[in-house]
Amino acid sequence: MEDGDFGENLIVSGIDVDGLAVGDRLLAGEVILEVTQRGKECHSHCEIYKRVGKCIMPTEGIFLRVVRGGTLRANDEIIRA
């Protein structure tokens, strides 16, 4: 598997994603993002399930909305806002 195989909009490292809660905000480049949802029900063996044998969305999926748009570049630092 390669980054982006599951349609990720952002792939991040170095941040404790498990420690994020709904309502938390992140600053990434000029962009402010807000956590809107943790996890998502798997719908009848989705593409992720078919490729890796289990769906990670219920436990590892995290969804954010853009509070303030702007430029975000590869290797920009992401911090809690």
Side-chain angles (χ1 to χ4, degrees):
M1 286 185 294
E2 307 246 344
D3 288 345
D5 279 354
F6 300 122
E8 305 92 338
N9 295 100
L10 291 174
I11 299 169
V12 301
S13 63
I15 187 165
D16 179 18
V17 175
D18 290 335
L20 294 174
V22 171
D24 284 349
R25 289 187 172 192
L26 302 173
L27 177 61
E30 300 172 350
V31 177
I32 296 176
L33 304 166
E34 181 179 78
V35 178
T36 59
Q37 183 177 335
R38 297 288 323 227
K40 177 180 175 183
E41 183 179 341
C42 181
H43 51 87
S44 63
H45 300 306
C46 66
E47 191 61 30
I48 296 170
Y49 182 92
K50 291 173 188 170
R51 293 185 78 176
V52 295
K54 70 174 189 167
C55 181
I56 61 171
M57 293 308 288
T59 57
E60 297 181 40
I62 186 166
F63 301 86
L64 301 101
R65 74 179 181 96
V66 177
V67 174
R68 182 182 76 202
T71 302
L72 178 60
R73 294 182 177 86
N75 299 315
D76 277 350
E77 183 177 23
I78 299 175
I79 58 172
R80 286 187 181 207

